[in-house]
Amino acid sequence: MSAPQETRSLLPWTADDPYVHALRTGRGPLFLRRSDGWLLPLDVERWCARPDEADLTVLARCEGAVLDVGCGPGRLVAELAARGRTALGIDVSEAAVAHTARLGGRALRRSVFQPLPRERRWGTALLIDGNLGIGGDPHALLDRLARLLAPGGLVIAETVPVDVDERVQVHVTDGRGTAGAPFPWARLGTPALLRHARVLGLAVDGQWSVEGRCFVALRTRSASSSAEPPNRTAVISSQRARKPSADSPVASR
């Protein structure tokens, strides 16, 4: 991603953005809205809660120092810190960074495409809660993460539970007339992510699903790493009912 795009990625997230208000209250409604009126619900309540069963399967697979890209209110970073793990969240929202700090996690207001601490020394990079969409260019995002990781490091990404591969312009809205500035976004199902991984030389280290959420672990080229040994788990499936989330689009209101 070019430098101008990195700068623009910080612009939609202002003090008056509906996302900021949602983080302050810990609840929605909150959506990503395309120009054609299509709405994607964002699960603010889950983001602001303690890690759930699906999140815990992600944390169990983390190796070494963990970079949570688009950490939001910081539930994963805070949980890792509570376990004594080295973890850093990055987010372009000042409110998200502040929320993470209040939970006891470390976070920086930074785009993933800007210079970051520990470059080429992270054991794991997380793209959870739809964050494969960051920047609207999954190939560039995955390539950047591969360059941030230590040799043999892991990318753990959450995918949309349908076969989709799209690039769109969206803005955050509360569905009641308040909206943020537009920005590029992407949505990928597992097949699309695996196509990008093959091109970039990332090896599939695991695929699993829990409570309707889907995850893929990808490993960078070299198997030699100082990160902790992988904690491998079997593919998990749960049929427990859950609230609408960022994986479940709804019609425009």
Side-chain angles (χ1 to χ4, degrees):
M1 181 176 283
S2 66
Q5 287 174 302
E6 292 171 21
T7 302
R8 284 199 303 272
S9 70
L10 297 173
L11 296 181
W13 314 99
T14 67
D16 296 325
D17 193 280
Y19 176 69
V20 174
H21 293 291
L23 289 193
R24 287 173 180 162
T25 63
R27 60 181 184 273
L30 195 68
F31 307 89
L32 291 184
R33 184 185 181 106
R34 288 193 319 216
S35 58
D36 62 2
W38 181 89
L39 293 173
L40 184 71
L42 303 178
D43 201 346
V44 178
E45 290 84 355
R46 178 172 61 78
W47 299 349
C48 292
R50 295 288 301 274
D52 62 13
E53 180 183 346
D55 294 330
L56 293 177
T57 67
V58 170
L59 298 181
R61 283 179 172 262
C62 289
E63 303 174 10
V66 181
L67 180 68
D68 187 359
V69 180
C71 66
R75 73 187 188 282
L76 301 182
V77 177
E79 179 64 24
L80 286 165
R83 298 180 181 192
R85 301 289 299 274
T86 299
L88 176 70
I90 58 171
D91 204 291
V92 297
S93 165
E94 184 175 356
V97 169
H99 196 287
T100 301
R102 286 195 295 273
L103 292 181
R106 289 183 59 234
L108 294 175
R109 186 173 186 239
R110 199 75 58 86
S111 163
V112 67
F113 296 102
Q114 293 175 319
L116 294 171
R118 301 179 63 99
E119 297 218 5
R120 297 188 182 276
R121 291 187 292 140
W122 294 102
T124 304
L126 301 180
L127 291 172
I128 308 302
D129 300 329
N131 285 330
L132 265 171
I134 288 173
D137 187 342
H139 185 94
L141 178 59
L142 290 169
D143 183 60
R144 170 60 173 154
L145 294 187
R147 297 171 189 277
L148 287 170
L149 289 167
L154 280 180
V155 176
I156 303 179
E158 183 171 355
T159 60
V160 177
V162 293
D163 189 2
V164 63
D165 187 357
E166 68 175 9
R167 317 287 182 272
V168 292
Q169 285 282 324
V170 297
H171 60 261
V172 176
T173 176
D174 58 11
R176 296 173 292 198
T178 305
F183 56 95
W185 198 251
R187 296 177 67 238
L188 270 71
T190 296
L193 174 58
L194 297 183
R195 288 193 293 271
H196 287 289
R198 282 194 295 271
V199 172
L200 291 167
L202 300 172
V204 178
D205 197 73
Q207 300 178 52
W208 69 101
S209 63
V210 183
E211 298 187 333
R213 296 171 62 194
C214 301
F215 305 93
V216 177
L218 303 170
R219 193 171 293 278
T220 56
R221 287 184 179 86
S222 173
S224 60
S225 173
S226 60
E228 299 170 12
N231 184 356
R232 298 180 185 273
T233 59
V235 174
I236 301 170
S237 177
S238 172
Q239 302 302 317
R240 184 183 307 173
R242 59 188 302 273
K243 297 176 291 185
S245 73
D247 292 334
S248 306
V250 298
S252 172
R253 294 183 176 179

PDB file of all heavy atoms in Angstrom, residues 75-90:
ATOM      1  N   ARG A  75      -9.773  -6.801  23.541  1.00  0.00           N
ATOM      2  CA  ARG A  75     -10.023  -7.966  24.387  1.00  0.00           C
ATOM      3  C   ARG A  75      -8.952  -9.029  24.226  1.00  0.00           C
ATOM      4  O   ARG A  75      -8.574  -9.693  25.217  1.00  0.00           O
ATOM      5  CB  ARG A  75     -11.412  -8.549  24.095  1.00  0.00           C
ATOM      6  CG  ARG A  75     -11.541  -9.294  22.760  1.00  0.00           C
ATOM      7  CD  ARG A  75     -12.965  -9.691  22.448  1.00  0.00           C
ATOM      8  NE  ARG A  75     -13.048 -10.562  21.283  1.00  0.00           N
ATOM      9  CZ  ARG A  75     -12.962 -10.136  20.016  1.00  0.00           C
ATOM     10  NH1 ARG A  75     -12.797  -8.841  19.770  1.00  0.00           N
ATOM     11  NH2 ARG A  75     -13.038 -10.994  19.012  1.00  0.00           N
ATOM     12  N   LEU A  76      -8.427  -9.235  23.018  1.00  0.00           N
ATOM     13  CA  LEU A  76      -7.438 -10.284  22.803  1.00  0.00           C
ATOM     14  C   LEU A  76      -6.076  -9.879  23.358  1.00  0.00           C
ATOM     15  O   LEU A  76      -5.389 -10.686  23.991  1.00  0.00           O
ATOM     16  CB  LEU A  76      -7.331 -10.609  21.313  1.00  0.00           C
ATOM     17  CG  LEU A  76      -8.621 -11.073  20.636  1.00  0.00           C
ATOM     18  CD1 LEU A  76      -8.360 -11.416  19.172  1.00  0.00           C
ATOM     19  CD2 LEU A  76      -9.231 -12.268  21.358  1.00  0.00           C
ATOM     20  N   VAL A  77      -5.689  -8.632  23.132  1.00  0.00           N
ATOM     21  CA  VAL A  77      -4.410  -8.142  23.661  1.00  0.00           C
ATOM     22  C   VAL A  77      -4.414  -8.200  25.183  1.00  0.00           C
ATOM     23  O   VAL A  77      -3.439  -8.631  25.815  1.00  0.00           O
ATOM     24  CB  VAL A  77      -4.149  -6.701  23.179  1.00  0.00           C
ATOM     25  CG1 VAL A  77      -2.860  -6.160  23.793  1.00  0.00           C
ATOM     26  CG2 VAL A  77      -4.057  -6.647  21.657  1.00  0.00           C
ATOM     27  N   ALA A  78      -5.507  -7.771  25.786  1.00  0.00           N
ATOM     28  CA  ALA A  78      -5.600  -7.762  27.252  1.00  0.00           C
ATOM     29  C   ALA A  78      -5.546  -9.184  27.814  1.00  0.00           C
ATOM     30  O   ALA A  78      -4.895  -9.427  28.840  1.00  0.00           O
ATOM     31  CB  ALA A  78      -6.878  -7.065  27.690  1.00  0.00           C
ATOM     32  N   GLU A  79      -6.211 -10.121  27.149  1.00  0.00           N
ATOM     33  CA  GLU A  79      -6.189 -11.506  27.627  1.00  0.00           C
ATOM     34  C   GLU A  79      -4.783 -12.090  27.516  1.00  0.00           C
ATOM     35  O   GLU A  79      -4.318 -12.795  28.430  1.00  0.00           O
ATOM     36  CB  GLU A  79      -7.177 -12.348  26.826  1.00  0.00           C
ATOM     37  CG  GLU A  79      -7.225 -13.816  27.216  1.00  0.00           C
ATOM     38  CD  GLU A  79      -7.719 -14.047  28.632  1.00  0.00           C
ATOM     39  OE1 GLU A  79      -8.447 -13.190  29.179  1.00  0.00           O
ATOM     40  OE2 GLU A  79      -7.361 -15.110  29.213  1.00  0.00           O
ATOM     41  N   LEU A  80      -4.089 -11.814  26.422  1.00  0.00           N
ATOM     42  CA  LEU A  80      -2.716 -12.293  26.271  1.00  0.00           C
ATOM     43  C   LEU A  80      -1.818 -11.695  27.350  1.00  0.00           C
ATOM     44  O   LEU A  80      -0.994 -12.388  27.948  1.00  0.00           O
ATOM     45  CB  LEU A  80      -2.188 -11.950  24.876  1.00  0.00           C
ATOM     46  CG  LEU A  80      -2.754 -12.788  23.731  1.00  0.00           C
ATOM     47  CD1 LEU A  80      -2.451 -12.140  22.393  1.00  0.00           C
ATOM     48  CD2 LEU A  80      -2.201 -14.214  23.765  1.00  0.00           C
ATOM     49  N   ALA A  81      -1.981 -10.400  27.615  1.00  0.00           N
ATOM     50  CA  ALA A  81      -1.180  -9.745  28.652  1.00  0.00           C
ATOM     51  C   ALA A  81      -1.446 -10.364  30.016  1.00  0.00           C
ATOM     52  O   ALA A  81      -0.526 -10.580  30.810  1.00  0.00           O
ATOM     53  CB  ALA A  81      -1.488  -8.248  28.681  1.00  0.00           C
ATOM     54  N   ALA A  82      -2.719 -10.677  30.293  1.00  0.00           N
ATOM     55  CA  ALA A  82      -3.072 -11.292  31.571  1.00  0.00           C
ATOM     56  C   ALA A  82      -2.438 -12.670  31.720  1.00  0.00           C
ATOM     57  O   ALA A  82      -2.198 -13.132  32.844  1.00  0.00           O
ATOM     58  CB  ALA A  82      -4.593 -11.399  31.699  1.00  0.00           C
ATOM     59  N   ARG A  83      -2.143 -13.320  30.599  1.00  0.00           N
ATOM     60  CA  ARG A  83      -1.489 -14.629  30.625  1.00  0.00           C
ATOM     61  C   ARG A  83       0.026 -14.515  30.647  1.00  0.00           C
ATOM     62  O   ARG A  83       0.734 -15.521  30.555  1.00  0.00           O
ATOM     63  CB  ARG A  83      -1.915 -15.451  29.411  1.00  0.00           C
ATOM     64  CG  ARG A  83      -3.401 -15.757  29.352  1.00  0.00           C
ATOM     65  CD  ARG A  83      -3.732 -16.571  28.122  1.00  0.00           C
ATOM     66  NE  ARG A  83      -5.155 -16.865  28.028  1.00  0.00           N
ATOM     67  CZ  ARG A  83      -5.677 -17.743  27.177  1.00  0.00           C
ATOM     68  NH1 ARG A  83      -4.884 -18.417  26.342  1.00  0.00           N
ATOM     69  NH2 ARG A  83      -6.980 -17.958  27.155  1.00  0.00           N
ATOM     70  N   GLY A  84       0.534 -13.287  30.690  1.00  0.00           N
ATOM     71  CA  GLY A  84       1.972 -13.072  30.723  1.00  0.00           C
ATOM     72  C   GLY A  84       2.640 -13.135  29.370  1.00  0.00           C
ATOM     73  O   GLY A  84       3.871 -13.238  29.285  1.00  0.00           O
ATOM     74  N   ARG A  85       1.853 -13.025  28.286  1.00  0.00           N
ATOM     75  CA  ARG A  85       2.398 -13.079  26.934  1.00  0.00           C
ATOM     76  C   ARG A  85       2.771 -11.684  26.449  1.00  0.00           C
ATOM     77  O   ARG A  85       2.148 -10.687  26.842  1.00  0.00           O
ATOM     78  CB  ARG A  85       1.364 -13.684  25.974  1.00  0.00           C
ATOM     79  CG  ARG A  85       0.903 -15.088  26.319  1.00  0.00           C
ATOM     80  CD  ARG A  85       2.008 -16.099  26.076  1.00  0.00           C
ATOM     81  NE  ARG A  85       2.405 -16.118  24.680  1.00  0.00           N
ATOM     82  CZ  ARG A  85       1.807 -16.852  23.741  1.00  0.00           C
ATOM     83  NH1 ARG A  85       0.782 -17.622  24.062  1.00  0.00           N
ATOM     84  NH2 ARG A  85       2.233 -16.831  22.494  1.00  0.00           N
ATOM     85  N   THR A  86       3.772 -11.612  25.589  1.00  0.00           N
ATOM     86  CA  THR A  86       4.120 -10.359  24.930  1.00  0.00           C
ATOM     87  C   THR A  86       3.139 -10.112  23.796  1.00  0.00           C
ATOM     88  O   THR A  86       3.026 -10.934  22.881  1.00  0.00           O
ATOM     89  CB  THR A  86       5.554 -10.415  24.371  1.00  0.00           C
ATOM     90  OG1 THR A  86       6.461 -10.622  25.446  1.00  0.00           O
ATOM     91  CG2 THR A  86       5.908  -9.122  23.641  1.00  0.00           C
ATOM     92  N   ALA A  87       2.408  -9.012  23.865  1.00  0.00           N
ATOM     93  CA  ALA A  87       1.384  -8.732  22.851  1.00  0.00           C
ATOM     94  C   ALA A  87       1.258  -7.227  22.673  1.00  0.00           C
ATOM     95  O   ALA A  87       1.376  -6.462  23.635  1.00  0.00           O
ATOM     96  CB  ALA A  87       0.043  -9.325  23.251  1.00  0.00           C
ATOM     97  N   LEU A  88       1.003  -6.816  21.445  1.00  0.00           N
ATOM     98  CA  LEU A  88       0.782  -5.410  21.115  1.00  0.00           C
ATOM     99  C   LEU A  88      -0.393  -5.307  20.168  1.00  0.00           C
ATOM    100  O   LEU A  88      -0.465  -6.041  19.174  1.00  0.00           O
ATOM    101  CB  LEU A  88       2.028  -4.806  20.449  1.00  0.00           C
ATOM    102  CG  LEU A  88       1.891  -3.361  19.962  1.00  0.00           C
ATOM    103  CD1 LEU A  88       1.793  -2.392  21.141  1.00  0.00           C
ATOM    104  CD2 LEU A  88       3.064  -2.985  19.058  1.00  0.00           C
ATOM    105  N   GLY A  89      -1.319  -4.409  20.446  1.00  0.00           N
ATOM    106  CA  GLY A  89      -2.395  -4.107  19.515  1.00  0.00           C
ATOM    107  C   GLY A  89      -2.074  -2.843  18.751  1.00  0.00           C
ATOM    108  O   GLY A  89      -1.449  -1.921  19.292  1.00  0.00           O
ATOM    109  N   ILE A  90      -2.471  -2.801  17.496  1.00  0.00           N
ATOM    110  CA  ILE A  90      -2.394  -1.558  16.724  1.00  0.00           C
ATOM    111  C   ILE A  90      -3.768  -1.285  16.142  1.00  0.00           C
ATOM    112  O   ILE A  90      -4.493  -2.206  15.751  1.00  0.00           O
ATOM    113  CB  ILE A  90      -1.327  -1.603  15.603  1.00  0.00           C
ATOM    114  CG1 ILE A  90      -1.589  -2.763  14.629  1.00  0.00           C
ATOM    115  CG2 ILE A  90       0.066  -1.683  16.190  1.00  0.00           C
ATOM    116  CD1 ILE A  90      -0.700  -2.704  13.387  1.00  0.00           C
TER     117      ILE A  90
END
